[in-house]
Amino acid sequence: MLKRIFSSRNIKIAIALALFMSVLLVLIPLITIKLTPDKTSDHDNDQASYEKIILPNYAEVYRTTSGKTEKIPFGDYITGVVSCEMPSTFHTEALKAQSVAARTYAAAKITNSVSSGNPSAHPDAPLCDTTHCQVYKSEKELRTIKGNQWMKKDFKKICSAVKETKGELLYYDGKLVQQALFHSSSGGMTENSEDVFAAAVPYLVSVESPYEDEATHQNEKTSFTIDMFASKLKSFFPNTYFGQITSENIKIVNRSDGGRVDKMNIGSSSLTGRQVREALGLSSANFTIDIDDDTITFISNGSGHGVGMSQYGADGMAKEGYNYKKILSHYYSGTEVY
């Protein structure tokens, strides 16, 4: 009797195991590997998936002075970029934000070069050492320019910011951010990418940048005679017909969401604010004009194209108590740091 009961139980257990294994075999093909962010990070959804990018050991960088491509240890490259692109006096959290932005920008350029090739401006390398990509100088070059005292204190501070964010990149919707753009200061509002460059990018949208009190290039005045103004524009745009430019036919038509001049009528033609800025060497397209007799004065605020992270804004946010991840998520809308 006991033997029969024992055998019956064995049969039931065997059936149950068989059923369990059959269900498991069906589910196995549906299981996906999901990478999750660090639990200490400031994310609302710690289970968000993303495509992890493996950073290279070296960055190939075209050095404009020598005309040669150098293989630079990737971490050293990022340290050199942050040293050149952001003032070392800025708050550590701002330097960390710059480190992640610079690392993301470089990672995107290197990754894209595999499938699309290098830029035509430097076909032998995915990156260069100028503002065309990101400004970079080696430790030796920085020592020569900045001096030993700067290296002992400020360079060490930058190295720490880079090290404390080691490997961290910006992602949007689970994919690596392709355009981690930044600029010096915005004048209070950043720009939509489509209002400055060719296309709309979902994380490069106009946001407030309220903590720029210490920014340079505030209410900056640049004056020209009307004749000098006309001469500069005609020289910069030789194929554009302006006709006779007078004080009566110069007018700002409209502005972007970020407050920069979108369109400006000049003589018989029109230009974008960005075109005017470039032709006249203004710090920003966020300007007003004051015309007095034969003189036109541009009053501009901010420095740079205005898209992405405002560096002075990042420093201001850091001084207000925001950490680097909050700074990055503010200026690159909808992004996460992993």
Side-chain angles (χ1 to χ4, degrees):
M1 182 68 169
L2 287 173
K3 190 174 182 179
R4 284 200 301 271
I5 293 172
F6 183 77
S7 299
S8 177
R9 284 177 179 173
N10 280 348
I11 292 170
K12 289 179 180 179
I13 291 171
I15 292 171
L17 284 171
L19 288 171
F20 174 77
M21 291 301 296
S22 63
V23 171
L24 185 61
L25 288 170
V26 172
L27 289 177
I28 281 175
L30 302 178
I31 296 173
T32 58
I33 297 173
K34 183 175 286 188
L35 298 172
T36 58
D38 189 338
K39 295 296 183 182
T40 61
S41 61
D42 299 324
H43 301 305
D44 293 330
N45 181 13
D46 281 343
Q47 299 302 314
S49 62
Y50 68 104
E51 295 178 358
K52 184 173 178 61
I53 300 297
I54 305 301
L55 293 172
N57 293 325
Y58 294 88
E60 293 187 349
V61 182
Y62 176 72
R63 305 305 308 276
T64 51
T65 301
S66 66
K68 297 178 180 179
T69 295
E70 292 181 17
K71 287 183 70 174
I72 302 165
F74 192 79
D76 293 349
Y77 168 73
I78 300 303
T79 302
V81 169
V82 177
S83 297
C84 295
E85 291 284 9
M86 178 173 274
S88 58
T89 55
F90 277 15
H91 195 286
T92 299
E93 293 300 313
L95 291 169
K96 289 180 184 179
Q98 183 67 64
S99 300
V100 176
R103 188 180 296 113
T104 302
Y105 183 93
K109 286 284 188 180
I110 293 169
T111 302
N112 290 337
S113 71
V114 175
S115 57
S116 304
N118 297 321
S120 58
H122 39 88
D124 294 329
L127 296 161
C128 71
D129 60 2
T130 72
T131 54
H132 177 267
C133 293
Q134 300 183 119
V135 179
Y136 163 82
K137 293 191 183 299
S138 68
E139 185 174 342
K140 182 179 179 181
E141 290 168 325
L142 288 168
R143 188 179 298 278
T144 300
I145 297 168
K146 303 282 190 178
N148 290 330
Q149 193 60 38
W150 186 89
M151 295 298 293
K152 288 178 182 178
K153 182 181 178 181
D154 297 68
F155 186 69
K156 185 177 180 181
K157 177 183 176 183
I158 291 169
C159 287
S160 295
V162 173
K163 185 177 180 180
E164 289 174 29
T165 62
K166 184 178 179 179
E168 292 186 337
L169 299 167
L170 273 173
Y171 290 83
Y172 179 83
D173 196 22
K175 298 185 182 299
L176 180 69
V177 162
Q178 297 296 301
Q179 300 182 52
L181 304 181
F182 49 86
H183 57 281
S184 181
S185 60
S186 72
M189 287 285 291
T190 67
E191 279 290 356
N192 296 318
S193 61
E194 67 269 26
D195 291 332
V196 179
F197 303 116
V201 179
Y203 47 83
L204 296 178
V205 296
S206 179
V207 298
E208 291 185 359
S209 185
Y211 304 115
E212 296 190 13
D213 293 343
E214 297 180 20
T216 56
H217 303 289
Q218 297 190 61
N219 296 314
E220 193 171 66
K221 294 184 179 181
T222 309
S223 297
F224 308 91
T225 64
I226 298 297
D227 287 344
M228 185 185 300
F229 170 68
S231 177
K232 282 182 173 291
L233 292 183
K234 290 176 181 179
S235 176
F236 203 84
F237 300 104
N239 298 322
T240 301
Y241 178 72
F242 292 97
Q244 184 177 5
I245 299 175
T246 68
S247 58
E248 285 77 28
N249 59 20
I250 303 171
K251 183 181 179 182
I252 293 173
V253 178
N254 56 13
R255 294 181 178 273
S256 65
D257 291 344
R260 285 158 185 74
V261 173
D262 180 37
K263 182 181 178 182
M264 190 171 177
N265 286 343
I266 302 168
S268 303
S269 190
S270 63
L271 296 173
T272 66
R274 181 187 180 187
Q275 289 174 318
V276 173
R277 175 204 166 200
E278 291 174 349
L280 302 180
L282 303 177
S283 297
S284 170
N286 183 5
F287 59 74
T288 58
I289 57 173
D290 180 28
I291 301 175
D292 183 17
D293 295 329
D294 68 339
T295 301
I296 179 169
T297 299
F298 290 80
I299 305 98
S300 61
N301 281 283
S303 178
H305 49 63
V307 180
M309 183 176 70
S310 162
Q311 294 170 315
Y312 272 95
D315 187 45
M317 286 186 70
K319 289 174 179 176
E320 288 293 318
Y322 293 93
N323 67 29
Y324 72 100
K325 292 181 180 179
K326 291 293 187 183
I327 293 169
L328 291 166
S329 66
H330 174 71
Y331 285 110
Y332 304 103
S333 299
T335 62
E336 303 273 10
V337 176
Y338 297 139

